[in-house]
Each structure stands twice: as C-alpha cells, then as structure tokens.
Amino acid sequence: MAAASSKSSRLQEYSKLPFLLSVDETAGELSTNVECGLSPATAKTLEGEYGQNKLAGQGGVKWYTVLMKQISNAMILVLVLAMALSYGITDFIEGGVITAVIVLNVCIGFFQEYRAEQKMDALRSLSSPSASVLRDGDFNTIPSPEVVPGDIVQLKTGDTVPADLRLYEAMNLECDESILTGETVPVAKESDHDFSDVNDPLTVGVGDRINCAYSSSIVTKGRGRGIVIYTGMFTEVGKIASSMQGKDRKANRSLSHKKHGPLQPVKGATLRVWDRFLAILGLTEGTPLQIKLSKLAYVLLLCALILAIIVFGVNRFNVTNEVAIYAISTGIAIIPESLIAVLTLTMVVGTAAMARRKVLIRQLSALEALGGVTHICSDKTGTLTQGKMVTRKAWIPGAGIYTVNDSDEAANPTRGRVNLRPAPRSEEAGQAQLEREKADRDQKRSVAALKFDVPDDKKQRDQEKLRAVKEIDADSIGYESDESLPETGPELRAFLESIALCNLATVRFDEAKSEWQTTGDPTEVALQVFAHRFDSGKKKLETEQGWKQLSEYPFDSSVKRMSAVYKDPTSKETLIFTKGAVERIIDLCTHFGVGKHRAEITEPAKQEILSQMSMLADQGLRVLAVARRTSDTEINEKTDTPRDEVEANLTLLGLAGLYDPPRLETKDAVKECTNAGIRVSMLTGDHPQTASAIAKEVGIIPRNLGTLAPDVAACIVKTATQFDGMTDEEIDAMPALPLVIARCAPETKTRMIKAINRRNGFAAMTGDGVNDAPSLKVANVGIAMGLNGSDVAKGASDIVLTDDNFASIVNAIEEGRRMFDNIQKFILHLLTSNVGEVILLICGLGFQDKSGFSVFPLSPLQILWINMLTSSFPAFGLGREKASSEVMTRKPHDTKKGVFTWQIIADMMVYGTLMGMCTLLTFVAIVYGAANGNESLGTDCNKRYDASCDVVFRARASVFAELTWLILISAWEFKSIRRSVFRLDPTQTEHNFPFFHDIYENKFLFWAVVIGALSVFPAVYIPGLSTSVFKHKAITWEWAPAIIAVFIFVAGIELWKLVKRSTGWFNDGESDRSTSRESGLSLRQGFFSFAKTLTRSSSMNKEVDTPMRSKEGVGLQRTEETV
C-alpha cells in the first residue's frame, strides 16, 4: 500500500483493523482527543508525515496538453508556414528569425498558461469538498485535502465523507456507499456496533463495517462524528483508484468489436482522434468565451487564407517568392496570436482576486456570467444577517415573556440579564412594552459615559412621556423590573428541557482559552445558550440527570421541524421533543402549557398564540415553536416509526424569539446592487413578518408598503404557499416579482429562477442545503455557502462564498464586471491593430516596383515584432486594469451578446481604419511626396537593400515606428471605451489634470507602453539588424510624420468617443449621458423608497440611471419616504 502513488512517507497502520477497535483504542493509537481534536500545529506536522488527503494523480494540469495547445495555435501554424517558405527560398536570416519567434512564442505562451493553470488548480482545490474538523475545541471548515489521521470530523446530511472514519457518534446516520459497494441502498451506521466476536476480520465486507464511514460516500440522512483513520490512497476508495485506469468517454467511442461489430474499432478510434484534435485546437474544452475566441482565431485564419488569395490575384497568380512572402505577411497581420493567452491570464487574475474577496470560482464560465446578473435571490440567515443568533425573548404560557437584555456575546450564557414580565394582552400593550424597552436602551446608551445639561422643560417632557408609557404597560400587563435571574418553574423547566435536548449544538467553556465555544447551527446554538443561562444545557441533562436519547428526526425543509426522542430518567417515560416553524407546529398541537396551566387549544387560544408570535415577529425576531408529548409506544432507531405518527398530539410549551442582527455591510451592498441595476430578493424559511422586518432593516423593501399602489404592494411579500399556488401565467402577469418570499421551499426557489428568466432576467441564487442543489443547478449563477453549506450544494454551484456573506456576492459581481470590461478592452486593442495592419498591407498591394511586384509597406519581420512585442504586453496590461468608477453604476450587460457588442465591432473598424490610413498616408507622403513616387520604389526591395531601395527602407522605418506607437497609445486610450483618456474618472477631484496619474496607476501597462515605445529606436538604428532583418534603415526627418500621426490618431479616437457620448450611440445603460431619459419607475432598494430611476448616488455624488428590465418597473408608485 505504501507504493500506491502516495507521497506520504508514513504508513497508516493499526494493531488491528480499525472497525475492530473501540473508540478509545482508536483515539489512543492516533493520539487524539474526541473532545478537543488535534491542535493546528499537530495537524500540520501530521500532514507533512502522511501527505495530503487526495488520490494519486488527482487533478493537476498536464504539461504536454498545454504545450500541444500552444503549438496548435492558429498563429503558430501561419508562422510555421512562413518559416518553411523562407527556408524554401533560401532566406535563412528571415527563416532563422521566424524560427526564433516561434520558439519564443511557444515558450512564453507555454510557461504563462502552465503557471496560470497551476494557479487555477490551486484555487479549485479551495472549493473542493470540505470537512468540518475539530481543532483545539473548535469546529472549523477546511478543504478535504488538509484532513489528517486523528482528526475529529463532523458529518451532516449532504456532506461528502472526507476520509475513512471510525464513528463514535451516529444519530440516524445513513451513507450512500454505492461508489464502493455498488449497492444503491444507503447503509445505516451504528457507532457502538461490536465486532469483537468476529474470528476472521476479512469476512466482514466494507459495506458491513457499519461503525465506519468511508471516503467519497455521501451522507444521505442523519448526523455523526468520527475519527479519521485513513486518508488519501490508504482509504478504501484509494485502493480502488490504484487498481483502475481510464475515464468516461462519449458514445460510439468504444473499440470493442464484440459489442458493436467489426467496424467499431475503426469508427471508435477515428472519433477519439477527432475529439482529441478538436480539444487540442481549443474548440471543445474551456469556457464558452474561450471556445468562442478559439473559433474566432480559426475564422481569422480562414480570413488570412482569403487575403493570401487576394494577394495572389493582384499579382495575376504569378506566385514568386516575394509574392508568397507578402501573402504570408498579410496572414500574420490579421491573427491576434496572444488572444487566448491574454484571456487565460485575465481569468486567472480575476479568479485570484475573487479568492481574496472571499469568493471561490468552481466554474470558469461563472466569471463571464457574473457581470450579467440582474437578480440576486439570497437566503437571509447567515448571508444577509450575521448568523450569530441570540434568544432575545421566550413566551411561555402561564409564565410570561422572558427577555434577554445586554447580551453582547452570542456564545456566552453568563453575559446579559434575563427579565420576566407578563405577556402583553393586546397589541397596544405590546407596543407600549417595546417603547419602554427602547427608551431604556436609549437612556443607557446616552448616559453610558457622558452626561449633558438638559433643559428643565425637556427633562420634564421626557419624564412625563416615560411615565405615560410605564402606566400603560403597568395597567395592561403588570409592569415588573426584576433584575435577578427568574425562578425556574415547571413551565420554564419543560421549555428548557425541550430546547436543550431537541438540539444538536454544543456549548462549552474552554478553560485554556478562557472563552465560551460553540458548535452547530446558529439557531440551535442560540437555544442551547439560553438553556445554559438556567444551567440546563444538554450535556448536563444527559450526563448528570440521565436523559438518554432514543431516536431523532432531523430537520426537514419540507416540514420545517425537528424532533428528538428521549427517555425520562425519573418517570422512565418516552418523551418526544419537537421544535420548528410556528404554523407547522401549532397544527400538530392539541394542548398548550404544562401543569395547572395546561389547556386545550381552542380557536381563541390559537389566535392568542398567533398574536404572541406576530408581536415577536414584528420585532424582527425569528420565532420557533417548542412542543413535546409523552409516548406510550417504544420509539428508537430500529422501530422506524413514521414521522407523522411521532409528531402528533403535541403540547405547545412556548415560543422562542431569536434575533439575528443584519450584517453591517448588507445595507450598503443592497444599495450598491440598486445602483448597478440589480434587484435583490430574499428567499427565506422564516415567518413572513420576521422576513419583512429584516428586509426593511437592510433596505430590500420600503418600511411603509402602504404608500405603494395596491397591486404592487400585494406583490412585494409572498409566502411560498401563495407563490407556488400561482400558475406561470399569473406570475408573469404580476407587475413585479416578489422581493420577499417567506417559508420558502426548495422548489419555490426553482420557480422563482424560471420566473426571472421568463422576464429576460439573469439570476444568481444562493443555497446551502442538499435540497438547494436543484435550484443552484437551474440558476444562471449558483452560489453555495462555504461555511455552512453542504458538499452537495457546493458541488452543484458555480461559485462558493467562504464567508457566507451577501456583500461577497456583490464583490463577485463587481469583479465579474471588471473582468468582462477588461476582456472587451484587450480584444478591442488586439483586433484594432490587426485591422490597421491588414488595411495597410492590402492597400500596399498598389505599390509596385519596376518589376511589377508589390512593395511591402511593412516587412514580415516588422509585423512579427509588432505583434509579438508591441501588442501582447499592453494587452496583458489591459487585462489587469482595475474596475472603473462606474462599473457598479450601470445596468448589467446583455449575456446574449457577450463581449462582441456592436460598440466593440464599430470601434474596431473605426480605430483600425484610422490606424491603417495614418500609416498608409505616412508611407505615401515619404515615397510620393518627398521622393519620386514609383521611381523611388526601387527593385527587389522586399529581399535586400541597395541604393534604389533607400526611400522604401526609410518609409518602412517611419511606418514601423508609427504603427508601434499607435498600437501602444491605443492601449492607454482603451483604458476606457467611452471616456476620454484625459478624464477617465469624472468623479475624481484630487487632480486637475489626472492624465499622468491615471496612466501610471496600472504600472504593468505603463511600462509595457513606455518600454515598447523606446524599443523602436534600437530596432531602427542598430546596423545590420535594421537593414538585414527588418528591411528598413536609420531615419532623420522621417520621424516627423510618425509623430504627427500619433496626435492625429489620438485626436481621432477622442473625437469618436465624444460622438458616442454626445449622441448616445452604443450606450447600453452606461452613465455618460449628460441628461437621462426617464425609463419608468423602479425600486430603489437600500434607499427605503420607491422613486424614479434617476437618482443621485451618495457614494459617487453623481446622477446614475439604473433602468430595470421588462415588467419590473411597471406600475410602481413614486413616494418620498424618509426614514
């Protein structure tokens, strides 16, 4: 096994097979602790000893594949033809130079792309299946390759098991091990199964070792924890991998004549070769944009052949050596040889930039799609909010409302005060209580450190207002201000037992770090912390009081509840504890309260419970119902009692109100989306009132929906039941899609995406659970949560958020738009120079010497020099451009058009024609203006220099210098496709003339232009190099037309940009308009108002126009709401 292609130097061996070892024996042999896990330092050491947890040969780019892609580049094929032709006519200097260019181009391209692919592999590994491991008492999510033997791993439904594990905890745990056993039925796990009576361990198959979980299997049900026993090639799947080779193939690629007939080997081999040929050419592998640009390269190759035919035709198909070289020169000129390499490097830079901004790219196509996102459908908990919940309030029938105040640490049960007050009996009383609590908080904040002199009259008014509030409160609910911990009565005790035992979270105090540590879902952590406040945590109840868990029914998004079955240590009764959504629990309850307060749930009682829920939800609290019942029948893992039988005839114990504060950056991110023309929708499993309260707080919906037109207000907030109950036609007829969908089910997300797509929208959807995988697949951009997301969700997604933060989605969209803009810029730069060169060379066919042969305005090696050294590096620089100040103040680009918009095509033709005409006029001016016209074209000047070629060689030098400078200057001009290079950022006020600041900001591009411009001089003045290689010579006054042409070219570009800005040509929603057209009304999310789309951005301090697409802006009433 040691030789199984593993790089580890230490064998993974045990005294006996791990499934025969007890948990303590396994932990002892691995020197680990199931309570604290390994330390990070120990884990790092073990990783060095055992190697990374991955299979041999897994991933990794193959160098020979990259090399073949470089050799098969369309440009290289043209150069090889030119090289062969040069050697064929015994022009060894030119042939040698072209050979060197080929080798240099292939080497540079190979090393650039190989390093880029290696970097991409490193970034992809970050988004590979992850593992939740216990390190120093904290569960951390790490990439699976970093898992080492001895790690403690936590499993939940949807996870991919990262390594072979010896389980020590399993609750309803089932794993799909078909990858190992071929059996599609999930295997139920038992952590305490005893194999001590097994005589021959080898008779126990992998599928029967139910106290172990195996690498690459999928958790289909339940939860568990285990100790890592094998990693990498030592796992069971690693053993299989070491004994098999091959990969999946397309249909009809088989070579078996027995299955498919005698001709199948020939047919299969031919198709395999064809597939490989297309892949090498880049026509079947890569992102859609990469494939599109590869196709463009070969279309241009076809154009080069057509141009060659034109050259031959002009010379009456008298194909001499000179004519052939001219045709090859024209072909070289039209192909942007560095296009694919620049694209690859730009994508790698963009992916690395996103990784720094907490976004991991799983599919490169997502980089292209992000800039076109028009809608973001986001979850609430942990994405829009902090995911650090606190049980703020608990309503318990017969006791009142327990309120937690001044809790500044979500995980610390010793911080804060718990007050008990009678529950309000009316909405007025509830509002009065909220006002008093708010006044108390405001007063504490105001006088915490500073005191001010308050006028007597204001002080009196404030005291009267506070007294009035207290009088209403006291009259209605019996105002109470007990600062001590309330007594734990039977009602509270039953509530605490339920929330502590029907709970998977852990809360513990780390003595070494002197801090409280928690693991688990934030909702359950909040409930567990609340139970710990009264010294009723789960661990104490199980270990000290003797509660024993019998079974568990995990949370299911379809029923929105969870249940746990326990044996009461005192009464020996079987108790079922359930928690979940209020409306799902209350329908299962027949009674509420305990002891003397226990009563039947009548319709008035049900309305009272729902009223208490509404008052909690209106405060932005997530409300959960807690219930229990006693069971007369035995329930455990083996009885497999149906869920609907267990969760019936419950007794409601109370309601828990959990507060999850919005992230501080969320509201600004929502504003940024609005400025960018992106609509934000919240799809959450919370109650509609809770969801609406948080949505108002972060700016997704306005605070006062009553100011909207009735039909619009009715669309803003929907429940999943309401939305799913509508037909597609009814959804399409709505004036706007919902901004909040509460009690959302996985299928609701899928319907929302399809509704957005039908309105020509482009949707990004977030998800974390197994059930979210279908919606992530359907979404135009699927976004999985990296911290709390399942591996199934990550596998179905396009990108992964490492911090589960909504603002990171906005960052990803900004980076996607930046990359899209930069791709357009360098494509425009490369193709403009190609158009200019082709115009020059085609028109140059008219310059014929005395022998009737066309004279090159540029020699083949001059063209190679310009294409290789002048165009490529500035194009790389444009790919590294930072985002423009307007990147998030314009609407999303049309994903159907892609990068080749009409603006890019028009710009390419205008600038290319301008470039070609400037260089052509320079050649004409020198040959026909300052010299004797056709008499100065000499004889055989394409091959060698003599006195008759003096004027031609000077003209070539001038054109060479001019074309080089025009291409380089155009790179600075293309830093913005519409704005003047002298004012790239109209919002900046720091510099009066920002030109030098702006061009130096991108240092790579700056030095690429400067060094490229200076390289002209040695190329012109070095003897031998100039006349023998480049076919030009040193010049004097001929510098003048080249310099003048630069100013003409810049003026022409600036004029064309001015025309575009003034007329609005090709304006696809960008903010260069001096006046904006009112294009309807749309929701100004984040600004708490429905207003005209024309607004003033506070961040940019300028007017921006963010028109919404299709029906989204129809029928929205304009209001001026101030918050």
Side-chain angles (χ1 to χ4, degrees):
M1 193 72 242
S5 303
S6 176
K7 293 183 179 180
S8 58
S9 57
R10 178 175 171 181
L11 295 177
Q12 299 176 21
E13 297 179 332
Y14 301 89
S15 58
K16 50 186 175 180
L17 292 177
F19 76 94
L20 299 173
L21 298 173
S22 68
V23 173
D24 291 337
E25 289 172 338
T26 305
E29 293 202 22
L30 290 169
S31 302
T32 189
N33 186 314
V34 296
E35 291 290 333
C36 301
L38 301 173
S39 68
T42 302
K44 196 68 177 176
T45 301
L46 291 175
E47 185 179 340
E49 295 179 3
Y50 290 114
Q52 283 205 318
N53 176 35
K54 58 184 181 181
L55 303 181
Q58 192 176 54
V61 60
K62 298 177 177 59
W63 65 267
Y64 51 84
T65 302
V66 177
L67 182 61
M68 285 301 298
K69 285 176 64 177
Q70 291 297 320
I71 294 175
S72 61
N73 184 290
M75 177 60 185
I76 297 300
L77 298 179
V78 174
L79 289 178
V80 169
L81 182 59
M83 175 188 69
L85 188 60
S86 297
Y87 286 131
I89 61 175
T90 66
D91 190 343
F92 295 109
I93 294 179
E94 186 167 293
V97 172
I98 295 178
T99 302
V101 167
I102 292 173
V103 173
L104 181 64
N105 193 41
V106 169
C107 290
I108 292 176
F110 169 76
F111 284 113
Q112 284 177 336
E113 186 166 353
Y114 187 62
R115 290 178 59 188
E117 292 290 350
Q118 286 182 316
K119 194 168 186 178
M120 279 302 305
D121 280 343
L123 292 170
R124 287 191 195 101
S125 69
L126 296 178
S127 60
S128 62
S130 56
S132 178
V133 301
L134 187 67
R135 298 269 174 93
D136 267 356
D138 289 325
F139 273 103
N140 300 308
T141 301
I142 65 172
S144 292
E146 296 179 13
V147 172
V148 297
D151 262 329
I152 306 301
V153 173
Q154 180 173 256
L155 302 174
K156 64 180 184 299
T157 303
D159 283 353
T160 300
V161 180
D164 286 1
L165 309 178
R166 170 61 170 94
L167 298 170
Y168 68 87
E169 180 181 307
M171 181 54 63
N172 293 339
L173 182 64
E174 294 184 4
C175 296
D176 179 1
E177 296 179 349
S178 57
I179 190 174
L180 296 173
T181 64
E183 297 293 332
T184 58
V185 179
V187 179
K189 299 296 181 180
E190 296 180 17
S191 60
D192 55 356
H193 191 88
D194 186 10
F195 287 96
S196 59
D197 58 343
V198 175
N199 295 324
D200 184 2
L202 297 180
T203 61
V204 182
V206 171
D208 297 325
R209 301 173 186 179
I210 56 178
N211 60 1
C212 294
Y214 294 99
S215 176
S216 300
S217 60
I218 306 294
V219 179
T220 59
K221 180 182 177 183
R223 59 183 175 86
R225 294 182 182 180
I227 305 171
V228 175
I229 50 178
Y230 293 121
T231 60
M233 295 300 290
F234 292 92
T235 62
E236 291 298 325
V237 74
K239 296 174 185 177
I240 296 174
S242 65
S243 62
M244 59 187 295
Q245 298 287 336
K247 63 177 182 178
D248 295 335
R249 295 191 181 276
K250 296 180 181 179
N252 298 321
R253 269 65 176 176
S254 173
L255 300 181
S256 173
H257 64 86
K258 294 182 180 180
K259 293 182 178 180
H260 305 285
L263 296 179
Q264 183 60 35
V266 177
K267 180 181 178 182
T270 303
L271 289 175
R272 287 188 187 188
V273 172
W274 177 249
D275 290 342
R276 191 60 189 158
F277 177 71
L278 293 179
I280 290 174
L281 295 182
L283 298 178
T284 57
E285 294 183 358
T287 71
L289 181 58
Q290 287 174 321
I291 294 174
K292 186 181 295 185
L293 292 182
S294 294
K295 291 179 179 178
L296 172 66
Y298 292 102
V299 168
L300 293 177
L301 176 58
L302 178 61
C303 293
L305 296 177
I306 294 174
L307 290 175
I309 294 174
I310 293 175
V311 172
F312 296 152
V314 171
N315 288 275
R316 296 175 296 278
F317 290 94
N318 182 18
V319 185
T320 62
N321 294 339
E322 290 77 9
V323 172
I325 292 176
Y326 198 101
I328 292 297
S329 301
T330 308
I332 291 173
I334 198 174
I335 297 177
E337 69 284 348
S338 57
L339 184 59
I340 304 300
V342 175
L343 176 65
T344 302
L345 186 61
T346 300
M347 284 188 164
V348 171
V349 171
T351 303
M354 286 194 183
R356 290 192 294 270
R357 302 182 79 171
K358 311 298 184 184
V359 179
L360 300 179
I361 302 298
R362 295 192 68 257
Q363 303 291 338
L364 275 179
S365 57
L367 282 171
E368 307 160 23
L370 278 168
V373 169
T374 62
H375 291 72
I376 300 176
C377 299
S378 175
D379 190 15
K380 176 182 75 69
T381 304
T383 306
L384 295 169
T385 60
Q386 296 179 20
K388 297 179 180 179
M389 290 191 176
V390 175
T391 303
R392 179 72 62 82
K393 293 192 175 186
W395 173 75
I396 300 177
I401 292 183
Y402 292 83
T403 303
V404 178
N405 295 312
D406 305 331
S407 177
D408 54 359
E409 291 182 31
N412 191 343
T414 65
R415 299 299 296 267
R417 299 176 296 108
V418 181
N419 293 335
L420 170 63
R421 297 186 177 89
R425 293 189 294 269
S426 66
E427 290 189 11
E428 182 185 21
Q431 189 62 34
Q433 180 174 320
L434 290 178
E435 290 289 343
R436 183 184 56 75
E437 291 175 356
K438 183 179 179 181
D440 288 344
R441 288 195 299 269
D442 291 344
Q443 186 177 16
K444 288 178 182 178
R445 281 196 293 263
S446 300
V447 302
L450 299 174
K451 293 186 178 181
F452 301 93
D453 294 330
V454 181
D456 293 337
D457 57 341
K458 185 177 188 308
K459 185 184 298 184
Q460 184 177 355
R461 288 196 304 271
D462 291 344
Q463 289 175 349
E464 289 176 356
K465 180 179 179 181
L466 183 59
R467 186 162 52 251
V469 169
K470 289 187 176 183
E471 287 174 357
I472 295 174
D473 204 2
D475 292 342
S476 303
I477 60 173
Y479 173 72
E480 180 184 340
S481 60
D482 184 14
E483 296 295 326
S484 61
L485 191 68
E487 181 181 351
T488 306
E491 300 87 359
L492 177 60
R493 187 178 304 111
F495 182 84
L496 294 174
E497 288 172 352
S498 296
I499 64 173
L501 296 175
C502 186
N503 198 312
L504 305 182
T506 63
V507 178
R508 59 182 288 271
F509 183 75
D510 191 314
E511 299 286 351
K513 297 182 179 180
S514 297
E515 65 179 24
W516 287 88
Q517 295 180 332
T518 63
T519 63
D521 180 79
T523 301
E524 298 194 323
V525 167
L527 295 173
Q528 197 68 254
V529 169
F530 186 80
H532 273 71
R533 292 183 184 277
F534 297 89
D535 198 24
S536 297
K538 181 177 182 178
K539 186 174 183 180
K540 181 175 182 179
L541 294 178
E542 290 182 336
T543 58
E544 297 183 16
Q545 297 186 16
W547 288 86
K548 182 179 180 182
Q549 186 169 6
L550 304 177
S551 185
E552 178 180 297
Y553 294 82
F555 177 81
D556 187 337
S557 60
S558 62
V559 296
K560 299 192 182 303
R561 58 181 179 267
M562 169 194 175
S563 296
V565 183
Y566 272 83
K567 177 73 74 175
D568 188 329
T570 304
S571 65
K572 305 303 179 181
E573 293 179 323
T574 298
L575 289 180
I576 300 166
F577 301 108
T578 302
K579 71 174 189 296
V582 178
E583 57 268 33
R584 297 299 182 95
I585 298 292
I586 196 171
D587 290 337
L588 304 176
C589 295
T590 57
H591 294 77
F592 70 104
V594 296
K596 63 180 181 180
H597 297 293
R598 190 171 188 268
E600 185 178 353
I601 295 183
T602 60
E603 188 59 31
K606 183 175 182 180
Q607 294 305 316
E608 171 64 19
I609 295 169
L610 293 176
S611 175
Q612 295 294 336
M613 178 201 69
S614 296
M615 283 188 277
L616 294 176
D618 286 341
Q619 301 171 45
L621 302 181
R622 182 181 187 184
V623 186
L624 296 179
V626 180
R628 77 174 185 185
R629 80 171 176 92
T630 303
S631 175
D632 298 329
T633 60
E634 184 180 0
I635 301 175
N636 54 50
E637 289 183 313
K638 297 182 179 179
T639 59
D640 198 21
T641 307
R643 184 168 195 152
D644 55 353
E645 294 182 13
V646 174
E647 298 170 338
N649 301 318
L650 301 172
T651 297
L652 183 71
L653 302 179
L655 304 177
L658 286 68
Y659 182 65
D660 185 11
R663 294 180 184 268
L664 298 177
E665 61 272 26
T666 296
K667 186 175 178 181
D668 288 338
V670 172
K671 285 184 179 180
E672 197 168 0
C673 287
T674 298
N675 286 336
I678 300 171
R679 181 70 62 88
V680 181
S681 297
M682 177 197 292
L683 278 63
T684 177
D686 276 344
H687 187 273
Q689 289 169 281
T690 304
S692 297
I694 296 297
K696 291 174 182 177
E697 194 167 348
V698 300
I700 290 178
I701 64 176
R703 292 189 179 272
N704 185 8
L705 293 177
T707 58
L708 305 178
D711 60 334
V712 176
C715 297
I716 299 303
V717 180
K718 293 280 187 183
T719 64
T721 303
Q722 294 170 335
F723 188 76
D724 291 339
M726 302 172 69
T727 65
D728 289 346
E729 291 73 18
E730 291 173 332
I731 293 175
D732 294 341
M734 297 169 66
L737 290 175
L739 300 180
V740 175
I741 299 182
R743 297 305 191 206
C744 189
E747 51 272 17
T748 310
K749 294 185 175 182
T750 303
R751 288 204 73 196
M752 182 67 169
I753 295 168
K754 292 180 179 178
I756 291 171
N757 292 156
R758 288 196 301 271
R759 297 185 179 219
N760 298 321
F762 204 74
M765 173 68 73
T766 67
D768 53 11
V770 177
N771 291 337
D772 289 329
S775 61
L776 293 175
K777 279 287 188 184
V778 172
N780 302 109
V781 180
I783 305 173
M785 302 296 108
L787 294 177
N788 298 312
S790 67
D791 285 337
V792 172
K794 294 176 186 176
S797 67
D798 299 303
I799 66 177
V800 177
L801 304 183
T802 60
D803 59 354
D804 293 7
N805 192 338
F806 177 80
S808 296
I809 302 176
V810 181
N811 292 338
I813 291 175
E814 180 182 352
E815 190 63 30
R817 290 189 176 192
R818 181 197 71 85
M819 196 198 71
F820 181 87
D821 289 349
N822 289 350
I823 290 174
Q824 283 193 319
K825 292 171 186 177
F826 71 66
I827 285 178
L828 176 61
H829 176 259
L830 291 172
L831 296 184
T832 294
S833 62
N834 294 138
V835 171
E837 291 172 16
V838 169
I839 289 176
L840 173 63
L841 293 176
I842 291 299
C843 292
L845 289 172
F847 305 132
Q848 296 186 346
D849 60 15
K850 297 176 182 178
S851 303
F853 291 111
S854 298
V855 177
F856 301 160
L858 283 176
S859 69
L861 294 185
Q862 283 179 319
I863 297 172
L864 283 177
W865 177 275
I866 291 171
N867 285 356
M868 286 295 300
L869 300 180
T870 304
S871 298
S872 299
F873 292 105
F876 281 122
L878 286 172
R880 301 164 64 96
E881 271 288 289
K882 72 169 189 176
S884 72
S885 60
E886 305 163 335
V887 72
M888 292 299 283
T889 59
R890 64 172 186 259
K891 73 175 184 179
H893 67 255
D894 190 342
T895 54
K896 295 179 180 178
K897 294 180 180 177
V899 294
F900 291 101
T901 62
W902 285 114
Q903 178 172 214
I904 295 298
I905 295 172
D907 287 351
M908 176 183 70
M909 298 308 299
V910 170
Y911 301 147
T913 301
L914 182 61
M915 183 182 294
M917 296 307 297
C918 284
T919 51
L920 182 63
L921 289 176
T922 296
F923 190 85
V924 170
I926 295 174
V927 174
Y928 290 89
N932 298 323
N934 288 335
E935 296 294 328
S936 303
L937 292 176
T939 303
D940 207 15
C941 295
N942 294 333
K943 293 184 63 176
R944 60 180 180 274
Y945 173 78
D946 59 30
S948 66
C949 297
D950 185 75
V951 174
V952 171
F953 272 52
R954 286 177 175 272
R956 279 188 192 145
S958 181
V959 170
F960 169 74
E962 179 183 326
L963 184 59
T964 300
W965 289 343
L966 296 187
I967 293 174
L968 294 171
I969 291 296
S970 69
W972 280 344
E973 281 284 357
F974 297 159
K975 284 169 71 74
S976 174
I977 293 178
R978 298 186 69 84
R979 293 207 170 273
S980 169
V981 71
F982 303 106
R983 194 76 176 177
L984 292 174
D985 184 0
T987 64
Q988 74 88 28
T989 57
E990 184 179 352
H991 306 278
N992 293 327
F993 186 68
F995 172 74
F996 297 106
H997 171 269
D998 289 343
I999 64 171
Y1000 188 67
E1001 196 169 30
N1002 184 340
K1003 294 181 176 60
F1004 186 96
L1005 178 59
F1006 175 81
W1007 289 113
V1009 172
V1010 171
I1011 294 174
L1014 295 177
S1015 69
V1016 167
F1017 296 100
V1020 170
Y1021 285 111
I1022 294 178
L1025 177 66
S1026 60
T1027 55
S1028 300
V1029 176
F1030 289 118
K1031 304 294 191 298
H1032 63 217
K1033 63 174 297 186
I1035 56 177
T1036 52
W1037 66 268
E1038 290 87 356
W1039 288 109
I1043 295 173
I1044 293 172
V1046 170
F1047 288 97
I1048 295 174
F1049 183 68
V1050 171
I1053 294 179
E1054 291 294 324
L1055 179 61
W1056 175 245
K1057 288 183 178 181
L1058 178 62
V1059 169
K1060 290 196 297 180
R1061 292 196 301 270
S1062 301
T1063 61
W1065 288 350
F1066 311 113
N1067 190 323
D1068 198 22
E1070 297 183 38
S1071 57
D1072 58 20
R1073 305 174 184 173
S1074 56
T1075 59
S1076 297
R1077 297 187 301 271
E1078 295 184 8
S1079 56
L1081 305 174
S1082 67
L1083 177 68
R1084 298 293 296 166
Q1085 290 182 310
F1087 296 88
F1088 299 109
S1089 66
F1090 273 72
K1092 288 188 176 181
T1093 56
L1094 181 62
T1095 186
R1096 183 167 295 276
S1097 168
S1098 58
S1099 61
M1100 304 305 298
N1101 195 27
K1102 64 177 183 294
E1103 290 186 342
V1104 296
D1105 185 27
T1106 57
M1108 303 304 293
R1109 294 190 179 186
S1110 189
K1111 299 179 182 179
E1112 295 299 318
V1114 178
L1116 303 183
Q1117 177 181 345
R1118 185 181 181 186
T1119 67
E1120 297 295 337
E1121 179 183 356
T1122 305
V1123 180

